[in-house]
Amino acid sequence: KAGVTQTPRYLIKTRGQQVTLSCSPISGHRSVSWYQQTPGQGLQFLFEYFSETQRNKGNFPGRFSGRQFSNSRSEMNVSTLELGDSALYLCASSHASGRGTDTQYFGPGTRLTVL
Amino acid sequence: QKEVEQDPGPLSVPEGAIVSLNCTYSNSAFQYFMWYRQYSRKGPELLMYTYSSGNKEDGRFTAQVDKSSKYISLFIRDSQPSDSATYLCAMSVRISGGYNKLIFGAGTRLAVHP
């Protein structure tokens, strides 16, 4: 079974621009979560989508948004980029069955650099 | 105070050493406990998970949970240079709506040198 895929793997943008990142979850997984990882802050939760609905959100400004499509694929958008948005953006998928661990499986991430 | 505390290291050990990685937590509602391993420039991969106090073994890895002390550990026996990575603990709690929320520790960077 194919793992979580993320595109693109690397991005370089300038301040003020916007960016869209894409995530394809493991087949059968209905939940997609997004995380921002930086050396200083570690892994920080952005939001989670389940069946095309955002059901959980972290403490990030409104510049960060996302959506999920009917095939469970998800996109994350960051508008008006700031230097501090440079990070590894990770997507994780899970069954979200509500039973057990709902273990999350991560993609390789998209490394965003804002100049 | 963070819900999950993890010493970021770095931790440097010689090959063959026993490694102990630890996390403490404050929320007694955490139900499931996981360890992820993350190699440089890769996404985290699930190493082990457990939900009860006690030990769970998988090859050279042992996950230990002490719910009374709110403390979890990952032990790596006969450590290898290929174990050099960042290890993140993660804990799951059921929240309103009936689904689980995952909280991660900061990660401990481990280097095993030959």
Side-chain angles (χ1 to χ4, degrees):
Chain A
K1 189 184 273 191
V4 178
T5 58
Q6 291 186 247
T7 56
R9 292 294 311 279
Y10 302 92
L11 262 180
I12 299 176
K13 293 285 187 179
T14 56
R15 278 180 298 174
Q17 287 187 309
Q18 76 164 23
V19 67
T20 299
L21 313 181
S22 181
C23 171
S24 292
I26 291 172
S27 177
H29 285 190
R30 295 191 295 168
S31 168
V32 173
S33 296
W34 288 90
Y35 295 85
Q36 181 196 66
Q37 188 176 39
T38 58
Q41 298 296 320
L43 205 61
Q44 292 188 286
F45 173 74
L46 281 154
F47 30 66
E48 182 205 4
Y49 284 86
F50 178 80
S51 292
E52 302 179 64
T53 300
Q54 185 185 92
R55 67 177 185 180
N56 202 2
K57 191 177 188 304
N59 295 324
F60 277 81
R63 300 185 297 107
F64 293 82
S65 63
R67 59 177 175 168
Q68 186 180 34
F69 301 95
S70 58
N71 61 358
S72 293
R73 191 176 70 83
S74 177
E75 286 182 348
M76 191 194 94
N77 185 275
V78 188
S79 62
T80 319
L81 283 167
E82 301 177 0
L83 294 179
D85 296 333
S86 295
L88 181 67
Y89 289 88
L90 291 159
C91 161
S93 75
S94 70
H95 276 294
S97 62
R99 298 191 299 272
T101 66
D102 281 340
T103 303
Q104 294 192 5
Y105 297 87
F106 284 84
T110 294
R111 184 161 297 280
L112 172 65
T113 302
V114 182
L115 303 176
Chain B
Q1 184 190 4
K2 292 183 178 180
E3 283 188 281
V4 179
E5 298 278 0
Q6 183 176 13
D7 187 338
L11 187 60
S12 182
V13 302
E15 183 175 354
I18 296 175
V19 176
S20 172
L21 304 166
N22 311 297
C23 287
T24 58
Y25 61 95
S26 56
N27 189 346
S28 57
F30 284 134
Q31 296 175 299
Y32 298 96
F33 305 89
M34 286 146 275
W35 286 96
Y36 283 82
R37 177 176 62 194
Q38 185 175 20
Y39 290 115
S40 180
R41 300 192 173 278
K42 297 284 179 67
E45 58 174 326
L46 181 67
L47 209 51
M48 296 185 71
Y49 79 87
T50 185
Y51 57 89
S52 58
S53 283
N55 295 350
K56 181 177 180 179
E57 195 172 311
D58 184 0
R60 297 185 295 111
F61 298 89
T62 299
Q64 185 179 79
V65 174
D66 183 345
K67 288 188 176 181
S68 61
S69 301
K70 297 189 180 66
Y71 189 90
I72 70 170
S73 298
L74 178 70
F75 298 98
I76 307 174
R77 290 185 300 281
D78 187 26
S79 56
Q80 303 294 310
S82 59
D83 295 327
S84 298
T86 297
Y87 291 80
L88 301 111
C89 63
M91 306 185 187
S92 174
V93 60
R94 184 65 59 92
I95 61 177
S96 60
Y99 57 95
N100 296 327
K101 180 180 176 182
L102 208 58
I103 309 292
F104 283 87
T108 299
R109 196 150 51 95
L110 170 68
V112 181
H113 51 86

